[in-house]
């Protein structure tokens, strides 16, 4: 009888372990949630502003030129995971190079939307805001530089 009780406890323990593993595993993998912060129209406005104010230094295709950094590709490794208020603030204070701070908050938000689009972030249904408080809640998505077109 003693051997039988031991086998029963071992079987019960294995069954309990199997049940716990099954309960801990998700029934089905949930699709990854994609967050987007701008609209297609906002990115299009940003593209126009980019061509007018930024392309002279950063190049028509955002590839950078000479000592001016690109705004896609390796750019994402510098900004991935940072809150968007940091990028917005930098553009607001330091750009365009020959007239820093000359653009409106709406133009700066449009430019950030364009940069996000060009780095593979999908558009959504709401424009990117222009306030620090709102932008501090939004992160530049973590994107692999080799994934950017």
């Amino acid at each position: 009888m003693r051997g039988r009780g031991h086998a029963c406890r071992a079987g019960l323990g294995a069954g309990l372990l199997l049940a716990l593993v099954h309960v801990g595993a998700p029934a089905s993998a949930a699709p990854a949630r994609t967050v987007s912060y701008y609209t297609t129209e906002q990115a299009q406005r940003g593209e126009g502003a980019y061509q007018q104010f930024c392309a002279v230094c950063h190049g028509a295709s955002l590839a950078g030129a000479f000592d001016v950094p690109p705004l896609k590709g390796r750019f994402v490794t510098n900004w991935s995971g940072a809150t968007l208020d940091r990028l917005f603030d930098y553009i607001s204070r330091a750009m365009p190079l020959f007239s820093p701070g000359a653009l409106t908050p709406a133009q700066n938000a449009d430019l950030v939307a364009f940069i996000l689009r060009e780095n593979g972030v999908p558009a959504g249904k709401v424009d990117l805001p222009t306030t620090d408080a709102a932008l501090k809640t939004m992160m530049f998505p973590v994107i692999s530089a080799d994934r950017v077109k």
Side-chain angles (χ1 to χ4, degrees):
M1 283 288 182
R2 186 170 180 212
R4 191 171 174 200
H6 179 62
C8 184
R9 279 191 299 256
L12 183 59
L16 183 58
L17 180 61
L18 183 61
L20 288 173
V21 168
H22 181 68
V23 168
S28 64
R33 183 172 171 254
T34 302
V35 178
S36 59
Y37 303 124
Y38 68 92
T39 61
T40 300
E41 296 78 20
Q42 186 178 32
Q44 288 170 337
R45 290 191 309 267
E47 183 174 11
Y50 178 85
Q51 294 305 325
Q52 183 177 358
F53 301 109
C54 312
V56 67
C57 293
H58 290 281
S61 64
L62 290 82
F66 306 108
D67 60 346
V68 178
L71 298 178
K72 64 181 188 178
R74 71 179 179 144
F75 170 83
V76 299
T77 60
N78 295 331
W79 290 96
S80 288
T83 55
L84 289 180
D85 66 302
R86 292 181 57 209
L87 178 57
F88 180 89
D89 183 58
Y90 179 77
I91 292 170
S92 297
R93 286 182 299 101
M95 299 294 140
L97 182 62
F98 300 110
S99 186
L103 303 179
T104 67
Q107 287 173 311
N108 291 321
D110 293 350
L111 286 166
V112 172
F114 173 65
I115 291 169
L116 288 169
R117 182 188 80 188
E118 293 302 298
N119 283 287
V121 178
K125 297 181 186 218
V126 179
D127 275 357
L128 185 75
T130 60
T131 64
D132 276 350
L135 291 167
K136 282 182 182 189
T137 67
M138 302 174 167
M139 303 289 276
F140 194 107
V142 176
I143 303 168
S144 172
D146 60 341
R147 201 183 108 208
V148 179
K149 51 182 167 165

